[in-house]
Amino acid sequence: MFPPRIHLHFLLLPAMFLALLGLWPASGAGVGNLVYLDGNSNGLYDAGEGIDGVTVQLYLSTDTPEVDPPQNSTSTAGGGQFLFTGLASGNYFLHVPSTMFGSGAILESLQSMSGVSIGLDDDAGEDGEDAVDPAATGVRTSAFNLNNGSEPTDADFETGGFADTDNVEDADVDMTVDFGFVPVVLSSFVAWQTANPLGGANQPTDNPDGDSLDNLMEYALAEAADSAVSGNNGFNVVHTSSGIVEASFTRSWGGHADLTYVIEGTIDEPGESATWTELTAVTPVTQLSAGEETVVYSGLQSELTFLGETKGFLRLRVDLDADSNFVPEETSYSPVWAFASVDVAAQNQTFGMPLASAPIFSGVVDQVNGSVLDLTGSTGGGSIVGALESGKPYCVEVISGSNEGHRWEVNEGAVTASSVTLEPSAEFSTQSSVPAALAGETIVVRPFWRIDDIFSQSGFTGTTNQVTAPRLTLYDASTAQFYSYWRFSNGSITRWLLEGDATLSDAGQEPLDVCAGLFMNPGVSSTTLRLAGVVRTHQVACGVTGGANLITIPSVVNKSPLDYLMTVDGGFVGSTNQQAADRLQMWLGDGSSNAGYEGYYLYKSPSIERWLKDGDATLTDYMITSILPPFRAFFLVSSNGLIDWKMSSIPAEGGGEKENSPR
């Protein structure tokens, strides 16, 4: 006999683990086994398909599920397993309650596998009855009889997964009762339209929730039809520190027979004149999850389209071919992403991030109540607060309307399911109030890039020596002062520190302003930044103060002063006197080992307006020359300040020109 203390500890262990330890309570009958997702569509349980965290209830055969209280309840664990023991002989059934299939629940968008295999184990089928609407009724099994000493054993019917869990008392426990689930997949876009009437706005190119995806793309990516809150975050691109470019998207399990999914790439600036090529050299890998699958294309930087390039553009194209005649009736495109490799020498160089992070919400403002944006109409069944990631700072960016390009920092603690509270007095807000005219305009909510998001890659190796450590230097235009962060590491702690901060507080979570440039220095060794993000297609408000401003451009390609209306008509000051005109100072260290600046100024006489290089006696005009580089920064020295200055981004994506892959 066990000592009392040890015996008590064993009794507290779950029954399935008691069985594994050979310590089984010898009283009564039992039933159990698995809840699983049939991920490979073979109608059977395969190792790794179990779903943990699912509630399974035990009822008497005379009970009514979700009306009568269950006799017992448990949650699956250990790879989808559940077990009830110590039961009196009698007739029972098992039930997975409707709450398991609700919005955000673990079995959302799943349904019971077709058919019922009473008496057979999970290697031959499953026992859940085929409920029409599991979110309303749950899923139950048929009634079964339990009798101590007469249940299936390994020698006869217990032939599936975890069949030996009950071997302490094999004949007392039935381990063949399983729930198998498969995703609810709408068979066609027509079926999607039936399920989503959307007040008549359910045609492929309609976009009633006002987000960045039309109906066809939301059908393709298994996104909610009535909510502008990102679920799967649509099409996504990652650029790893080793230089691997991965594109991925999530869709309903198995995809759709009436759709074709194509990854396209270009090195042209996206817009109407861009030529997009179908990328076919990389074979995708599909990763299964409950109700969905993620398709991953890894190694896109090796595609012929990007051969020898340091940057490129990617998008997902979806073709709807409902009548299967190989001629698409409709085509939809995801937002465009870009990836880039930026070489960083072991010296001071400038940097600016033109790419945006993926938004968690994109929709239309219903009302403006002080500093609170009511977004109910675009939120639908989604939750904005539920999409926030803890610790990340967010901003609201206006992408269409009279306030296009303006941004406000978000009070993350005041965000609700359908509203966002702004902080107009915050450092990175571009307007000091929230205009009522914002109602009816389209916004996105997206996280700021933080220092750690960009500058914690392997090349920025920390040290305890502040002199040789990697360094980031920013410029405060309001005080005309530089301030710096340095990369500290003592072997156990690695973080960015604000120079002069004796508390050694981690500064890696500090946000970076959209238009702000900076100087970077990786320390003793050169490195390469691997970057990826969403390409903006709207104006970007980059108001500058009188004096020097260290700024960057919101473009992935070189731009000219005229591209950003850096003209007298655009509010810039021109003069025949170089010191009285607005000026540009370009850091020479970005292209060579030299320190110092190359300057330009806006020359304006009664008959001539042009940007001239300092000291150029030929008066060569640089107004339409692409002297503004991407991923770099420059000083704009403004005579009067341009509080309302906006830089236009690329033209809105309209499909461009398509080219078949040469392979």
Side-chain angles (χ1 to χ4, degrees):
M1 181 168 180
F2 293 113
R5 181 181 300 174
I6 297 176
H7 186 57
L8 176 61
H9 281 222
F10 282 137
L11 290 177
L12 292 175
L13 289 172
M16 70 178 68
F17 297 113
L18 287 174
L20 293 173
L21 292 173
L23 304 170
W24 191 277
S27 59
V31 62
N33 212 18
L34 285 167
V35 175
Y36 65 94
L37 170 71
D38 183 17
N40 58 7
S41 191
N42 65 355
L44 313 172
Y45 167 77
D46 294 287
E49 292 183 338
I51 309 175
D52 289 341
V54 177
T55 298
V56 180
Q57 299 170 329
L58 176 75
Y59 283 94
L60 294 174
S61 62
T62 54
D63 290 337
T64 301
E66 308 208 14
V67 175
D68 296 319
Q71 301 296 309
N72 207 338
S73 180
T74 189
S75 292
T76 57
Q81 300 179 72
F82 66 90
L83 184 64
F84 298 100
T85 59
L87 304 177
S89 296
N91 295 319
Y92 299 88
F93 68 87
L94 298 176
H95 179 70
V96 177
S98 59
T99 54
M100 291 288 98
F101 301 89
S103 177
I106 193 167
L107 300 180
E108 181 186 9
S109 300
L110 296 185
Q111 63 186 4
S112 181
M113 289 166 51
S114 179
V116 178
S117 58
I118 298 174
L120 299 178
D121 211 344
D122 52 66
D123 55 355
E126 59 87 47
D127 300 274
E129 296 183 347
D130 302 337
V132 175
D133 185 3
T137 65
V139 173
R140 59 164 288 171
T141 69
S142 300
F144 50 81
N145 181 262
L146 294 178
N147 278 300
N148 201 22
S150 60
E151 297 308 312
T153 69
D154 293 358
D156 44 51
F157 296 108
E158 288 182 355
T159 57
F162 305 101
D164 59 354
T165 303
D166 67 340
N167 280 4
V168 174
E169 294 188 4
D170 202 359
D172 294 338
V173 182
D174 184 352
M175 297 295 289
T176 71
V177 185
D178 309 283
F179 290 93
F181 293 100
V182 294
V184 177
V185 179
L186 296 171
S187 59
S188 65
F189 185 71
V190 172
W192 182 93
Q193 290 176 300
T194 300
N196 298 282
L198 301 176
N202 64 350
Q203 296 305 304
T205 58
D206 289 339
N207 186 12
D209 54 9
D211 60 10
S212 59
L213 307 177
D214 62 20
N215 286 338
L216 180 57
M217 189 61 74
E218 290 188 328
Y219 164 64
L221 300 181
E223 292 281 359
D226 63 346
S227 177
V229 179
S230 297
N232 301 320
N233 288 319
F235 179 61
N236 185 65
V237 175
V238 173
H239 196 179
T240 70
S241 59
S242 59
I244 303 301
V245 177
E246 291 185 353
S248 63
F249 57 87
T250 302
R251 63 187 180 189
S252 295
W253 183 68
H256 298 282
D258 56 353
L259 291 184
T260 300
Y261 297 78
V262 177
I263 303 294
E264 294 185 328
T266 186
I267 58 173
D268 300 331
E269 182 179 27
E272 296 292 343
S273 61
T275 298
W276 291 88
T277 300
E278 181 178 334
L279 306 181
T280 61
V282 175
T283 301
V285 174
T286 301
Q287 302 168 349
L288 298 174
S289 59
E292 295 173 341
E293 61 185 22
T294 300
V295 184
V296 180
Y297 294 76
S298 184
L300 290 172
Q301 78 287 344
S302 299
E303 288 274 352
L304 183 60
T305 298
F306 305 126
L307 191 63
E309 301 291 334
T310 59
K311 62 178 178 286
F313 301 92
L314 294 164
R315 70 181 182 186
L316 173 65
R317 188 185 91 225
V318 173
D319 295 325
L320 174 65
D321 183 13
D323 56 10
S324 302
N325 68 347
F326 303 103
V327 179
E329 294 87 36
E330 295 287 353
T331 295
S332 181
Y333 301 94
S334 72
V336 176
W337 284 68
F339 65 90
S341 297
V342 178
D343 291 332
V344 188
Q347 63 186 49
N348 285 327
Q349 294 180 284
T350 67
F351 177 80
M353 182 55 161
L355 300 172
S357 58
I360 63 163
F361 173 89
S362 173
V364 178
V365 177
D366 292 331
Q367 293 183 10
V368 178
N369 301 310
S371 296
V372 179
L373 305 185
D374 180 358
L375 305 168
T376 304
S378 293
T379 304
S383 171
I384 301 174
V385 67
L388 296 180
E389 291 187 47
S390 178
K392 281 191 174 183
Y394 288 81
C395 72
V396 159
E397 192 168 348
V398 185
I399 63 174
S400 74
S402 60
N403 294 286
E404 180 181 341
H406 281 291
R407 301 175 302 282
W408 293 267
E409 293 189 41
V410 169
N411 180 347
E412 289 83 15
V415 174
T416 71
S418 59
S419 71
V420 172
T421 299
L422 307 182
E423 296 184 323
S425 62
E427 179 182 3
F428 297 151
S429 295
T430 60
Q431 288 186 324
S432 58
S433 62
V434 182
L438 208 55
E441 299 187 346
T442 303
I443 66 164
V444 296
V445 180
R446 58 165 48 105
F448 281 101
W449 293 116
R450 298 165 297 178
I451 290 176
D452 273 348
D453 293 329
I454 298 174
F455 297 106
S456 290
Q457 300 183 18
S458 58
F460 286 82
T461 305
T463 177
T464 56
N465 186 341
Q466 187 172 339
V467 175
T468 60
R471 178 178 294 271
L472 305 175
T473 301
L474 291 80
Y475 185 77
D476 185 345
S478 65
T479 62
Q481 297 290 321
F482 286 100
Y483 61 99
S484 296
Y485 299 92
W486 65 286
R487 187 73 164 161
F488 168 84
S489 180
N490 63 3
S492 59
I493 298 175
T494 300
R495 61 180 55 165
W496 285 99
L497 302 178
L498 177 64
E499 188 175 53
D501 181 6
T503 68
L504 303 184
S505 299
D506 186 359
Q509 303 305 302
E510 288 295 313
L512 298 172
D513 189 24
V514 173
C515 299
L518 55 84
F519 285 89
M520 59 183 174
N521 190 324
V524 297
S525 301
S526 62
T527 187
T528 301
L529 288 176
R530 312 289 186 181
L531 307 169
V534 179
V535 177
R536 287 182 172 89
T537 59
H538 55 273
Q539 294 185 97
V540 179
C542 289
V544 296
T545 62
N549 301 263
L550 184 57
I551 65 173
T552 188
I553 63 172
S555 173
V556 188
V557 299
N558 290 24
K559 290 293 185 178
S560 71
L562 184 61
D563 287 328
Y564 293 135
L565 295 179
M566 301 170 77
T567 64
V568 172
D569 285 346
F572 283 70
V573 174
S575 175
T576 57
N577 179 350
Q578 180 176 339
Q579 297 306 311
D582 285 351
R583 288 169 286 150
L584 303 176
Q585 298 290 315
M586 319 298 290
W587 179 246
L588 293 173
D590 290 340
S592 69
S593 59
N594 296 327
Y597 296 91
E598 181 175 68
Y600 299 83
Y601 68 99
L602 182 57
Y603 177 88
K604 181 68 172 77
S605 70
S607 59
I608 299 174
E609 180 178 348
R610 60 183 57 174
W611 280 93
L612 302 180
K613 185 182 291 187
D614 292 353
D616 182 5
T618 67
L619 302 184
T620 301
D621 186 5
Y622 289 90
M623 179 69 79
I624 61 173
T625 303
S626 299
I627 60 174
L628 307 177
F631 300 105
R632 298 298 185 184
F634 56 93
F635 275 104
L636 169 58
V637 184
S638 176
S639 301
N640 299 328
L642 292 161
I643 300 303
D644 295 322
W645 183 43
K646 296 181 182 180
M647 286 192 271
S648 298
S649 194
I650 66 169
E653 181 59 35
E657 195 177 325
K658 265 194 305 188
E659 170 187 287
N660 290 327
S661 170
R663 295 171 296 280

